[in-house]
Amino acid sequence: MESKSEEQYLHDNSATATAISLLTPYKMGKFNLYHRVVLAPLTRERSFIGNVPQPHAKLYYSQRASKGGLLIAEATGISDTSLGFPNVPGIWTKEQVEAWKPIVDAVHAKGGIFFCQIWHMGRSSNTDFQPKGQAPISSTDKPISPQLKTDAIDLPKFSPPRRLRTDEIPHIVDDFRLAAKNAIEAGFDGVEIHGAHGYLIDQFLKDQVNDRTDRYGGSLENRCRFALEVVEAVVNEIGADRVGIRLSPFADYNEAADSNPEALGLYLAKALSKYEVVYCHMVEPRMKEPLGMGETPYSLLPMRKAFKGTFIVAGGYDREDGNKAVAENRADLVAYGRLFLANPDLPRRFELNAPLNKYNRATFYTPDPVIGYTDYPFLDNSLIRTEN
C-alpha cells in the first residue's frame, strides 16, 4: 500500500508534474496525444478457444486507457499459420473481429487511441500450433535451438520450419493486408506491423537467419524487401497515417541476430520514411535478450534522425530515463511494458512521481482473467474500475 494519498502526492510534486516532458502534448500524424507515455504491446495469453479476444480484455485495456493516450494492443495473429503461443488473439476470422469491437470501444470511451499489433511468428512455433500439424513457415529451413526460451513461455520444442517458396511470399503479404483491414473494421485507429523480436518479418531482415538466394535474401535491400512489401500493402489498404511498425535491429531474440544491426536499422528508417508511415517503434540496443538489459556501444539516435515520422522508443525505460529521452529529443514517445502492465494508471503516477506497483512475472502469461491481469491497484482505490 502507498503511504501517501493521491492528493498529498499532487501537492508535494506539483512543480514536477508541470515540468515533465513525458506528459506534454504531441501530435502523431492526425492523432492528438495528451501525453507521451505509450502502452507497449504485451503478450498476455488470455484469448481462449479459437484465439478469440475475451470480455476480460475490455477491462484490462480500458483500465490503461486515458484521454489522448496511445495504447498498442498485444501481438495479434494474422492467419492460422501465424501463431506459436497458446491463447493469443487473432484478427483473421469474423468472430475475432467482432470480439475486438467492444474492447476497442471501451478504450475509445476513455478517450484513448488504440493500435493493433499484427503479427506472424514464423519459425518461432511448432507443429502443435499449425493447421493439420504442418511445419511452421519461415525465410529459412534452419530451426531454432530446442532449448531456447522465448519471451513468453517455455516451448518443449521448436519444429524445423519450412522455407517459403518465392511464389508463396505474396500470400503472406496479403495476410498482413487483410489483418490490417480487419483491424480497422474492428474499430482500431491503426495497426503496428510486428517486425521485431525474431518473428517472421525479422527472420527475413536478419542475416543470421535469412539464408535465401532469391530476391528476398542476400543483400540488405533484398532482406528488407518482404518487410517493405508488407508495409506497402498495409499502407495501400488503410492509409499511411494509420500504420506504424516495430523493429528490433539490435536484438537477438529467437536466435535472430544481424552482423550489422546499425546499417539494418538505418536502411529501414530511411525506407520507411518514403512510405510516410505514422510511426517507427524501435527497441533499444540494450535489450538484446528478452529477460534483461546489457551494455551496448549502439544507439538509436541515427535511426531517430533518419526517420521522418514519429519515433517511439522502448526497452527498460523508467520515468526518469523516458523523460530524459523526450527532453533530449531522442524520442517523441516512450513505450512502457512491464511498468504499464503493473500500473494501469502509469501516466498519472508519473505525473505525481508516485510509487509504482511491482510487477509479478509469474502471472504475465497465466490464463487467469483477473490475477496478474486486471487486479493491479490504481493509486487511489476509488479509481479502480470493475466490470458491469
Side-chain angles (χ1 to χ4, degrees):
M1 297 293 291
E2 289 81 16
S3 58
K4 292 185 178 182
S5 70
E6 181 174 345
E7 290 74 20
Q8 286 174 304
Y9 279 113
L10 184 58
H11 178 269
D12 294 347
N13 297 285
S14 58
T16 305
T18 57
I20 179 167
S21 299
L22 271 174
L23 298 176
T24 56
Y26 177 78
K27 189 168 178 61
M28 186 184 82
K30 65 182 181 181
F31 302 105
N32 293 310
L33 306 185
Y34 281 48
H35 59 79
R36 301 170 187 242
V37 181
V38 178
L39 174 66
L42 298 165
T43 294
R44 304 310 315 273
E45 295 186 5
R46 288 165 167 86
S47 298
F48 305 130
I49 299 170
N51 305 103
V52 175
Q54 299 296 301
H56 45 254
K58 176 180 174 182
L59 177 59
Y60 171 77
Y61 283 110
S62 65
Q63 283 179 332
R64 286 154 185 80
S66 59
K67 187 174 183 180
L70 174 61
L71 277 63
I72 306 170
E74 62 207 273
T76 300
I78 63 167
S79 68
D80 61 357
T81 69
S82 66
L83 305 180
F85 296 153
N87 301 326
V88 293
I91 198 158
W92 72 88
T93 72
K94 184 68 174 175
E95 184 182 7
Q96 292 162 349
V97 172
E98 291 301 314
W100 272 115
K101 288 181 178 179
I103 301 167
V104 176
D105 288 346
V107 170
H108 286 159
K110 296 279 289 292
I113 294 146
F114 205 10
F115 273 52
C116 180
Q117 189 188 68
I118 53 177
W119 181 46
H120 196 299
M121 296 184 67
R123 70 173 186 166
S124 302
S125 182
N126 68 45
T127 55
D128 294 341
F129 294 101
Q130 297 299 314
K132 300 180 181 178
Q134 66 190 38
I137 57 175
S138 181
S139 65
T140 182
D141 56 10
K142 295 185 296 186
I144 302 175
S145 302
Q147 73 278 9
L148 186 72
K149 290 182 178 180
T150 73
D151 59 347
I153 57 172
D154 293 338
L155 289 176
K157 63 188 175 85
F158 290 100
S159 302
R162 179 179 68 80
R163 186 194 310 271
L164 283 164
R165 300 189 313 270
T166 306
D167 67 314
E168 292 179 295
I169 292 174
H171 299 292
I172 309 302
V173 172
D174 201 54
D175 285 340
F176 275 98
R177 179 191 66 80
L178 288 169
K181 180 181 180 181
N182 287 344
I184 300 305
E185 183 185 337
F188 282 101
D189 298 293
V191 301
E192 177 178 282
I193 298 164
H194 197 338
H197 293 164
Y199 299 121
L200 183 62
I201 290 175
D202 212 24
Q203 291 160 28
F204 277 83
L205 295 174
K206 301 289 183 62
D207 63 9
Q208 302 303 293
V209 181
N210 187 336
D211 56 358
R212 303 179 72 89
T213 57
D214 62 4
R215 64 195 189 99
Y216 292 96
S219 69
L220 180 56
E221 180 181 7
N222 280 357
R223 285 184 283 114
C224 293
R225 188 183 306 279
F226 173 60
L228 296 176
E229 286 181 354
V230 170
V231 169
E232 183 173 21
V234 172
V235 163
N236 288 342
E237 180 63 42
I238 66 172
D241 58 348
R242 293 178 178 269
V243 180
I245 188 169
R246 195 179 212 206
L247 301 167
S248 60
F250 299 93
D252 189 16
Y253 290 28
N254 294 314
E255 293 183 349
D258 195 82
S259 62
N260 193 345
E262 191 167 44
L264 174 61
L266 202 54
Y267 179 90
L268 285 166
K270 291 176 180 177
L272 290 166
S273 294
K274 296 174 184 175
Y275 290 99
E276 299 182 335
V277 296
V278 72
Y279 73 73
C280 178
H281 180 184
M282 276 206 185
V283 179
E284 284 285 352
R286 63 192 178 192
M287 303 300 291
K288 189 174 181 181
E289 300 290 342
L291 300 181
M293 295 188 289
E295 295 296 321
T296 178
Y298 294 112
S299 164
L300 293 181
L301 197 56
M303 291 112 238
R304 196 284 194 268
K305 290 178 177 177
F307 182 67
K308 303 306 180 187
T310 295
F311 197 74
I312 307 176
V313 296
Y317 278 93
D318 58 17
R319 179 182 185 270
E320 180 181 1
D321 198 14
N323 193 55
K324 190 175 179 183
V326 174
E328 294 178 354
N329 202 30
R330 290 184 284 112
D332 298 305
L333 309 173
V334 182
Y336 291 88
R338 290 165 290 185
L339 294 188
F340 221 145
L341 178 156
N343 296 273
D345 53 354
L346 187 65
R348 182 64 168 160
R349 288 178 187 259
F350 279 175
E351 179 185 4
L352 304 177
N353 200 16
L356 301 180
N357 300 321
K358 290 180 170 58
Y359 57 81
N360 179 6
R361 189 181 292 276
T363 59
F364 282 1
Y365 311 111
T366 53
D368 194 292
V370 176
I371 297 171
Y373 192 56
T374 58
D375 63 344
Y376 282 104
F378 286 76
L379 184 61
D380 180 344
N381 284 337
S382 69
L383 299 178
I384 296 179
R385 303 291 187 259
T386 55
E387 190 112 53
N388 293 328

